[in-house]
Amino acid sequence: MTAIEFENISKQYRLGLVSTKTLSHDIRRFWITNVLGKEDPYLKIGETNDRSTKGSSEYVWALKDINFKVEQGDVLGIIGKNGAGKSTLLKLLSKVTGPTTGVIRAKGRIGSLLEVGTGFHQEMTGRENIYLNGAILGMTKHEISKKLDEIIDFSGCERYIDTPVKRYSSGMMVRLGFAVAAHLDPEILVVDEVLAVGDAEFQKKAIGKMQEVSSGEGRTVLFVSHNMASVRKLCKTGVVLKNGSVDFTGTADDAVEHYMTLDVFREEYFKDITEKMRNPNMLKYVYFERIAFASQKNKFASKEPIEMELDVCATRDVPEARINFTIFGLDDIPVGGVSNVQTFSIKAGEHKKIGLTIKNHNLAYGDYKMSFSTGIGNYTTGQKDYDIVCNILKFRIERTDVSQNENFVQWNPCWGRIMFDSETVVL
């Protein structure tokens, strides 16, 4: 059964203004739309919501032609860049503001946690705000009282429950707000980004509660977060928004994969290293000038060696320099890396081209990025870094026949578990 349906939802704003700027325009707009029943003429203008570019129109579409359904009991992750329209969509659903065009159909009571302290009165105590929020959700005083002890216990704010919430920290506000929203039996629970304010222990508890209310109690959850691990763990389906429009719908895993590659992977196979790319605190006794894929491509099969060329230069004589690297997933979790046992010598002012080959990596398909460093020593004997450049090269491992590649290296949150087989040579 469908719990929420967004049908042709759009939201238009005039930048910097509440109305259309002049009284005559406002009266004309009211006459055309409310009296004559015609289309709003101001809806025919406006630009896509791309916050990074300067537009020529004063009107902008925060959301444009949003269409999708959410089934009852589903946990939907809504993801996208900052400014993509995620919070605007949830505000429309929660009736904080209304859509410019389109219809939202929702079955059941909606509990929203859109920002820290949503619906709280700063002068009232935590206990009083629980009753206030419950009343806003349509609960009776008796129903709220039955849940009161459970809410206070879940929030972890018992000691301060009779203190005005204006004295709460942002984390305490989130704890209490989420506890109220989750325990006062809304059929639809809307959570927007606020869990990022809570500590790790509370985030784990909150995600567990959302899983409980969706799977055990059949309630619907809409979850906005930039934490892709939480979206994968919690959500069944996902929607990716881009510049105010739906860019992708599918399973949570597919939505995260689509988002992680959105405008991130480019056909770049080399980088000339500039000062702003490197760590400014390094000694630069041996430093990078250029890093490139030798094959002039950045797409590889899982069993294909990855060959690179690194141009390095020195400011003093270094008899035993090393090249080290780390491979990360696009979520910045390190897969593994190498602290090379192979060394090379370089003199002050000398330029050298170093060949680096990663062999037998068996990386799972997906997108990755690499960081490099020069230095002496290794992780066993102690290492000193001379130059560090982060997230310089990106590459893609393309899908291959899984039956022929049974030992894929999956993304690994435990640093140091995988040490890749590599080889460096002076070219």
Side-chain angles (χ1 to χ4, degrees), residues 52-109:
S52 63
T53 60
K54 183 177 180 179
S56 58
S57 174
E58 293 179 326
Y59 294 89
V60 65
W61 290 102
L63 294 171
K64 184 68 173 176
D65 297 330
I66 302 294
N67 290 279
F68 65 90
K69 297 179 181 180
V70 186
E71 297 302 315
Q72 182 176 344
D74 192 8
V75 183
L76 174 72
I78 302 176
I79 55 182
K81 294 182 178 180
N82 291 330
K86 306 183 298 297
S87 296
T88 301
L89 186 67
L90 297 191
K91 287 177 180 178
L92 294 178
L93 176 62
S94 304
K95 299 183 179 179
V96 174
T97 184
T100 306
T101 65
V103 179
I104 299 176
R105 300 181 180 89
K107 297 180 180 179
R109 189 163 48 208

Side-chain angles (χ1 to χ4, degrees), residues 119-177:
F120 282 3
H121 192 292
Q122 296 295 303
E123 299 297 332
M124 296 172 66
T125 66
R127 189 186 305 273
E128 291 167 340
N129 271 293
I130 293 174
Y131 281 96
L132 174 63
N133 272 254
I136 292 172
L137 288 173
M139 308 286 287
T140 66
K141 183 177 180 181
H142 176 69
E143 289 174 317
I144 300 169
S145 296
K146 284 176 61 177
K147 296 271 188 177
L148 185 63
D149 291 341
E150 189 177 349
I151 292 170
I152 295 173
D153 179 66
F154 186 90
S155 70
C157 300
E158 184 172 3
R159 186 170 187 176
Y160 303 97
I161 200 64
D162 292 310
T163 299
V165 297
K166 66 180 181 181
R167 298 191 174 95
Y168 284 19
S169 68
S170 58
M172 290 172 63
M173 295 273 275
V174 166
R175 281 175 168 269
L176 187 60

Side-chain angles (χ1 to χ4, degrees), residues 94 184 274:
S94 304
L184 291 181
T274 62

Side-chain angles (χ1 to χ4, degrees), residues 259-289:
Y259 171 66
M260 297 301 288
T261 58
L262 194 64
D263 293 335
V264 173
F265 187 82
R266 297 180 177 89
E267 297 288 342
E268 295 179 346
Y269 61 87
F270 75 93
K271 280 286 180 69
D272 292 321
I273 308 302
T274 62
E275 286 303 309
K276 67 179 181 179
M277 295 179 184
R278 66 178 89 249
N279 187 319
N281 300 317
M282 296 295 101
L283 298 171
K284 290 205 304 184
Y285 293 163
V286 181
Y287 61 90
F288 296 105
E289 293 185 312

Side-chain angles (χ1 to χ4, degrees), residues 79-82 84 239-243 245-248 254-266 330 367 394 396:
I79 55 182
K81 294 182 178 180
N82 291 330
V239 170
V240 181
L241 296 183
K242 181 181 179 182
N243 297 336
S245 299
V246 174
D247 191 59
F248 180 87
D254 288 345
V256 169
E257 182 176 338
H258 178 85
Y259 171 66
M260 297 301 288
T261 58
L262 194 64
D263 293 335
V264 173
F265 187 82
R266 297 180 177 89
L330 293 187
D367 295 328
K394 297 183 177 68
R396 175 170 292 169

